[in-house]
Amino acid sequence: MAENYKKTAFRILFLIATPKLTKKAMDLYKQSDIPMQYTFHAQGTASSEIMDMLGLDGVDKIITVCMMPKAYADEMISKLQKKLHLGMPNTGIAFSVVMSGSSGRLLQLMETLQPEINRTLLEGENSDMKEREYYMIMAFVNQGYSGEVMEAARPVGASGGTVFHSRQLGSEAAMKFWKISVQQEREVVIILARNEDKLAIMQAIGQKCGMQSEAQGFVLSLPVDDVAGLE
């Protein structure tokens, strides 16, 4: 059984959408017996000019995160695109990222989604390591600096982003050892970027909002397996 878990491809499915569409998505997850979902309130970073052009009343977004086998995630993204009309103005985007490991209990829970999961195996260990067309960039900065992240990212290829709030937790002794002092309240900026733009965006954010700046930020990227809503 453990060997099957190692071979099975798992994904984390992200949906960033308006509150109204998120409710429809939650109904779809319920119908599909998705066992676990996590939601975060967030805000889009579209400029006021873009909002006026699209006729949008606000930029409130909800991030929904689910974990499931790859084959299930591929099917769910297709369902979300059809049901929520992703790609149209004022809707949202859905994408999946590679999950490289998890606790055995969570894997057992996800296995209930697909009893014949053993048939959906990776073609090879390097399958999840191949270059993707899109990457999810996440920038963690002090509260109030998400705007500077986007100011750095837009000129080098970022079309937009989503921001949500988080809280810094960690060992104070370790932070002092590494001479790091950051606010407890943090902002997380999520940007979907094409592979050819990823490095330039990450470097621009690091130069403007790195640990030596007032933003005291750091940035990372994760490969996106499938995406809907960027048309």
Side-chain angles (χ1 to χ4, degrees), residues 7-9 69-72 114 116-122:
K7 293 180 180 179
T8 304
K70 171 177 165 45
Y72 217 84
Q114 191 170 311
E116 297 182 354
I117 199 171
N118 297 344
R119 298 181 182 177
T120 309
L121 304 179
L122 292 175

Side-chain angles (χ1 to χ4, degrees), residues 2-116:
E3 182 65 23
N4 289 333
Y5 288 152
K6 292 179 182 179
K7 293 180 180 179
T8 304
F10 291 100
R11 297 293 183 265
I12 303 175
L13 176 61
F14 287 79
L15 172 67
I16 303 176
T18 63
K20 181 178 180 180
L21 291 183
T22 299
K23 291 181 180 179
K24 293 183 178 181
M26 296 300 284
D27 290 338
L28 184 59
Y29 293 150
K30 184 177 180 180
Q31 295 170 8
S32 302
D33 295 322
I34 303 296
M36 298 174 64
Q37 306 102 40
Y38 298 91
T39 60
F40 307 87
H41 289 276
Q43 288 187 317
T45 61
S47 65
S48 59
E49 292 82 1
I50 294 177
M51 300 302 292
D52 292 341
M53 179 181 69
L54 297 178
L56 306 182
D57 296 326
V59 291
D60 288 343
K61 300 289 184 181
I62 294 180
I63 302 173
T64 306
V65 181
C66 311
M67 288 148 284
M68 62 191 72
K70 171 177 165 45
Y72 217 84
D74 294 343
E75 181 181 2
M76 185 56 62
I77 287 179
S78 178
K79 289 181 178 179
L80 288 170
Q81 184 171 27
K82 292 178 181 178
K83 186 175 181 64
L84 307 185
H85 305 290
L86 299 181
M88 299 296 291
N90 201 20
T91 54
I93 58 175
F95 59 94
S96 60
V97 299
V98 176
M99 189 173 83
S100 60
S102 178
S103 64
R105 183 66 66 181
L106 178 57
L107 291 175
Q108 290 173 357
L109 181 60
M110 287 191 291
E111 188 186 30
T112 63
L113 295 175
Q114 191 170 311
E116 297 182 354

Side-chain angles (χ1 to χ4, degrees), residues 108-180:
Q108 290 173 357
L109 181 60
M110 287 191 291
E111 188 186 30
T112 63
L113 295 175
Q114 191 170 311
E116 297 182 354
I117 199 171
N118 297 344
R119 298 181 182 177
T120 309
L121 304 179
L122 292 175
E123 295 180 359
E125 186 176 351
N126 293 329
S127 176
D128 282 342
M129 301 302 294
K130 66 181 181 181
E131 287 292 324
R132 279 1 193 251
E133 181 179 0
Y134 288 96
Y135 281 78
M136 177 178 68
I137 297 173
M138 300 184 72
F140 300 78
V141 293
N142 285 340
Q143 189 169 9
Y145 286 90
S146 58
E148 292 196 12
V149 170
M150 293 309 304
E151 287 177 6
R154 280 198 175 97
V156 289
S159 58
T162 302
V163 182
F164 66 96
H165 296 271
S166 66
R167 187 172 179 83
Q168 175 82 30
L169 298 175
S171 168
E172 292 186 9
M175 299 287 276
K176 290 180 180 179
F177 177 81
W178 292 104
K179 297 181 180 181
I180 297 174

